[in-house]
Amino acid sequence: MLYLIVNPVAAHGRCAQAAQELQALLRGMDIPFCVRTTQKPGQAERLAREAALEGARLVLCAGGDGTALEAARGLCSTQAALGVLPCGTGNDFARTLGLPAAPAEALRALLGGSARAVDVGSLNGQPFLNACGAGFDAQTVHAAQRAKRLGRGMLPYLYGVLDTLWHYRPLRMTVQADNAPPFFCECLLCLVANGQYIGGGMHVAPCARIDDGLLDLIYIDPLPRHMIVRLLPKLIRGEHMAYTQLVHHLRVRSARLECPGMLMQCDGELQTLDRASVSAMPARLLLQMP
């Protein structure tokens, strides 16, 4: 039995419309399925865990990155595979997987694919799928959440970028990568990534792989506003990694970030922390791949 978990409020209700098309497609293919609809934040984790306990081999998740994260937390270390259907605002993890942007096409690709064990990250003991970050990234997510009414994809994030440009101050933090000595840095942003994209399509971690047992730690030196504006197109295209004097890249099994009161985003969820212990959890999740 295939399970379909739907977040009806994702993308301002557009996910509910997409879910109807997905169900019609499954019925047309004579595939038995069971639909579970979330009613509140956090419920997808419980629904996914229940599906695994009931013997599901594939749990499809129609929603955004936050819904996919919840479902992944419910399926970690189980025999059920997660299939991510891009029905949210950003859909960054789906981009890393190379899925079609249209939910129906993504469903066809997943049904023709196979399951593979992939890594997840851990932030202070809580799993994440895609990335967590502090600094300009988190401030932008905070501003973008107020602008989701503007549309899908990168548009709310770009609004957040413009808003953050006027209010942002460099982040001052202590970083320890694996067992190396800690170091102090000032940075524009500090990202620890399992997936490659953030912000509705910004290719910030182009070297990240979801099955290598490692996380990519990227931090960028502080820049004046006009230089940030010049860097943004390169961040979107993944071309910023060539600027090795500004952009620093480490591949780590674990990292510790310390900064009193830092705002951190984890797969789009915001929290305020003084310390962030981040680590890779290799091959922890079965993921349906196209």
Side-chain angles (χ1 to χ4, degrees):
M1 175 70 74
L2 181 152
Y3 280 70
L4 175 63
I5 296 175
V6 178
N7 178 358
V9 300
H12 299 284
R14 288 187 293 270
C15 182
Q17 297 175 344
Q20 296 300 317
E21 181 182 1
L22 295 172
Q23 293 175 62
L25 181 59
L26 289 170
R27 284 191 290 267
M29 300 172 73
D30 292 324
I31 297 176
F33 66 94
C34 178
V35 179
R36 295 288 185 265
T37 302
T38 63
Q39 305 295 330
K40 57 184 178 181
Q43 193 174 17
E45 179 177 353
R46 179 178 62 81
L47 294 175
R49 185 180 299 111
E50 289 174 353
L53 290 173
E54 292 171 10
R57 284 296 184 231
L58 176 59
V59 179
L60 297 171
C61 177
D65 289 316
T67 311
L69 168 61
E70 292 178 11
R73 286 174 173 170
L75 296 178
C76 277
S77 302
T78 74
Q79 296 303 306
L82 170 66
V84 177
L85 297 171
C87 299
T89 302
N91 303 316
D92 285 309
F93 193 67
R95 283 186 177 85
T96 291
L97 305 182
L99 285 167
E105 293 303 315
L107 175 59
R108 290 189 180 94
L110 290 176
L111 293 176
S114 59
R116 190 175 72 187
V118 301
D119 310 331
V120 297
S122 171
L123 170 62
N124 290 348
Q126 284 293 317
F128 67 88
L129 267 181
N130 192 47
C132 59
F136 196 93
D137 172 34
Q139 294 288 347
T140 298
V141 169
H142 180 64
Q145 286 185 350
R146 303 193 304 268
K148 284 188 176 181
R149 66 185 184 281
L150 297 177
R152 301 181 65 185
M154 203 179 296
L155 187 59
Y157 197 84
L158 289 177
Y159 169 87
V161 166
L162 295 175
D163 183 83
T164 303
L165 276 172
W166 295 107
H167 303 101
Y168 180 73
R169 296 293 181 272
L171 192 68
R172 297 170 175 84
M173 65 163 49
T174 301
V175 179
Q176 183 176 18
D178 290 326
N179 294 319
F183 60 91
F184 176 80
C185 68
E186 288 190 326
C187 54
L188 177 71
L189 64 84
C190 182
L191 185 78
V192 185
N194 186 42
Q196 296 186 5
Y197 294 88
I198 64 172
M202 299 187 78
H203 206 182
V204 178
C207 300
R209 300 292 179 267
I210 59 173
D211 59 359
D212 60 1
L214 299 170
L215 298 171
D216 285 47
L217 192 158
I218 298 168
Y219 64 98
I220 301 177
D221 291 342
L223 294 169
R225 288 190 180 94
H226 72 280
M227 289 297 293
I228 296 174
V229 172
R230 292 178 59 183
L231 182 65
L232 279 174
K234 300 184 184 303
L235 278 168
I236 293 171
R237 296 191 296 266
E239 299 171 355
H240 58 291
M241 302 298 287
Y243 294 84
T244 54
Q245 292 183 332
L246 293 175
V247 182
H248 309 277
H249 178 213
L250 301 171
R251 309 195 74 227
V252 302
R253 289 181 173 84
S254 64
R256 185 176 177 87
L257 314 177
E258 296 189 12
C259 175
M262 67 177 162
L263 183 67
M264 175 164 279
Q265 70 87 11
C266 182
D267 286 2
E269 295 180 350
L270 290 167
Q271 51 191 302
T272 301
L273 302 170
D274 295 329
R275 299 175 185 84
S277 295
V278 188
S279 60
M281 298 192 293
R284 190 60 62 91
L285 174 71
L286 279 178
L287 191 67
Q288 187 76 3
M289 302 291 287

